[in-house]
Each structure stands twice: as C-alpha cells, then as structure tokens.
Amino acid sequence: MSGASGSSDIPAIGVLVSGRGSNLQAIFNAIERGELRARVAVVISSRADAPALRIAADHGSTCHVIAPRDYPSRAEAGATIVDVLRAAHVRVVALAGYKPILDACVVRAFPNAIINIHPSLLPAFAGGMAPRPQAEALAAGVKLTGCTVHFVTEEVDAGPIIAQSAVPVLDDDDVETLSARILVEEHRLLPLAIGLALSGRLTVEGQRVRLAPA
Ligand code: GAR
C-alpha cells in the first residue's frame, strides 16, 4: 500500500536502481514508518537481474527495465526513461545505486528534481561506482569519509549538495567494513533528502542548496 502507485495526493517519486537495492528498501522503510510522505510510483532498473527489482515488486511498485545497451543510443534510452517518469507523474527522482550515466535529456527534463546518493564526501572520490569510492578513501588514508546526496546535473557527481554525513575510517577497516558503516548513513540520508526535495523548502543558488525554515 505505502509504496504502490496509483492516484492519490501523496507525492509520487521514481527510483532508479541497478543492483542490490538497499537504498530502495530504506525508502520503503521510511515511507512505512511515516517518516517520508511519498509513494514510489515507479522503479526503473538498468538491469533485468537487479535484486532491487524484487524489493520493488514486493512493495507493489510498477517496475521497468530500461537497459541502455538495448537502445541504439544513450539518448534514446534516456528519452524512454523520461517518458516513463512523466507517465508516473513523479515529482522527485532518486538514483539509488544507479550505474549508467544519465543522459542529459533526463537531467534537463527534471531540473533540480533528481537526487543521487554517492558513497563519499563529495567532491572527494567522485565518479566511480561503489565500492570504488570507499576503496579510494582507504587508499588515500583519509580519516573521515561518508556519503553525499546531491541534485544531479550534467556533470557527474558535481551537482549542488543537499546533505552529507561523515563516518570515521578506522585503522582496521577494509572496503567491506567501511562500506557497511557508510551504508547506515546512506539509508538515513537518502529518504531525508527526498523528503526535503518534496517539501519545496530547498532552493538552489549556484552550487549551494539552502533550506528554508519549516
Ligand atoms: C550505494 O552504496 C550507493 O551509494 C552507491 O551504490 C550503492 C548501491 O547500493 N552509489 C554509487 O556508487 C553511485 N556512484 P544499494 O543498491 O544497496 O542501494
């Protein structure tokens, strides 16, 4: 019920996934706990075998597989994504472990309405897909890393930052233990950012995102 698509005054969101789907699950959990007033109207996966699709189906969300390699060009895959998101009347789109680089036509269709979660404190360790940013943080020897939620622009991982959460890097960390510590924060931060984006309280001025008082 909470995640199902359908007509209602609860704002519709779309979620794009490629893999495990723990952030998608966190969105459903936040909705079910009453912490996020939204419904997941549509889930789009770039892979037919993504475990996230099972999570979406279990929550009654409409699912689409749009694999860029099935399209003659990234732009055509992008145009299909835009059509699906528009048909679902989404107000906000979350990239929750979505691997392909979104075509510019998608970014332009939803200005300041697409949110990405990235497992580093951007602008550090931008550009890669998990677990690369976590591995790069370990290799760089930083003592703090974390996760970032930001609006998606045409430049990868460079859009205005909505929120960040830092975690310590411990001496005996490996990629797995560090990723797990960051993931706890991801699961808190992504639903929070979606709620803020839906609230209309965020304004974007250049690279800065300001939050108006409630
Ligand atoms: C998450 O750690 C997310 O931050 C990362 O992929 C993982 C997806 O996990 N995203 C990126 O690296 C984007 N560049 P999930 O499928 O369990 O949500």
Side-chain angles (χ1 to χ4, degrees):
M1 181 194 69
S2 51
S5 55
S7 63
S8 99
D9 64 345
I10 299 175
I13 65 170
V15 184
L16 272 56
V17 296
S18 297
R20 175 178 58 184
S22 72
N23 277 288
L24 174 64
Q25 181 67 59
I27 292 168
F28 284 121
N29 291 348
I31 291 171
E32 281 159 15
R33 286 198 294 258
E35 295 165 4
L36 174 61
R37 189 173 174 280
R39 60 190 174 88
V40 181
V42 66
V43 172
I44 298 173
S45 176
S46 64
R47 301 176 55 122
D49 61 353
L53 282 170
R54 164 57 47 201
I55 295 170
D58 284 349
H59 289 81
S61 287
T62 301
C63 299
H64 293 262
V65 175
I66 302 175
R69 71 162 70 92
D70 294 343
Y71 291 79
S73 67
R74 217 158 51 107
E76 279 166 85
T80 306
I81 290 171
V82 170
D83 287 347
V84 167
L85 292 172
R86 285 207 171 123
H89 302 289
V90 303
R91 281 183 41 202
V92 163
V93 178
L95 307 189
Y98 185 68
K99 195 166 183 186
I101 300 202
L102 266 189
D103 189 75
C105 75
V106 187
V107 179
R108 288 181 197 143
F110 296 94
N112 291 335
I114 306 178
I115 293 170
N116 180 47
I117 181 134
H118 185 79
S120 75
L121 295 176
L122 290 172
F125 315 123
M129 196 68 200
R132 198 171 104 189
Q134 296 93 325
E136 287 176 349
L138 282 173
V142 294
K143 299 298 185 193
L144 283 175
T145 184
C147 55
T148 301
V149 280
H150 64 94
F151 285 121
V152 172
T153 56
E154 289 178 44
E155 197 184 336
V156 174
D157 292 338
I161 291 171
I162 301 166
Q164 294 183 301
S165 185
V167 304
V169 181
L170 305 182
D171 287 350
D172 57 356
D173 266 336
D174 56 22
V175 170
E176 204 174 311
T177 57
L178 181 58
S179 298
R181 193 173 307 117
I182 295 170
L183 203 59
V184 172
E185 295 307 304
E186 293 189 35
H187 294 166
R188 192 176 61 76
L189 214 58
L190 183 57
L192 182 79
I194 294 169
L196 289 175
L198 288 170
S199 74
R201 290 166 57 207
L202 298 182
T203 51
V204 179
E205 291 165 28
Q207 276 300 109
R208 298 190 68 182
V209 179
R210 293 182 202 280
L211 174 63

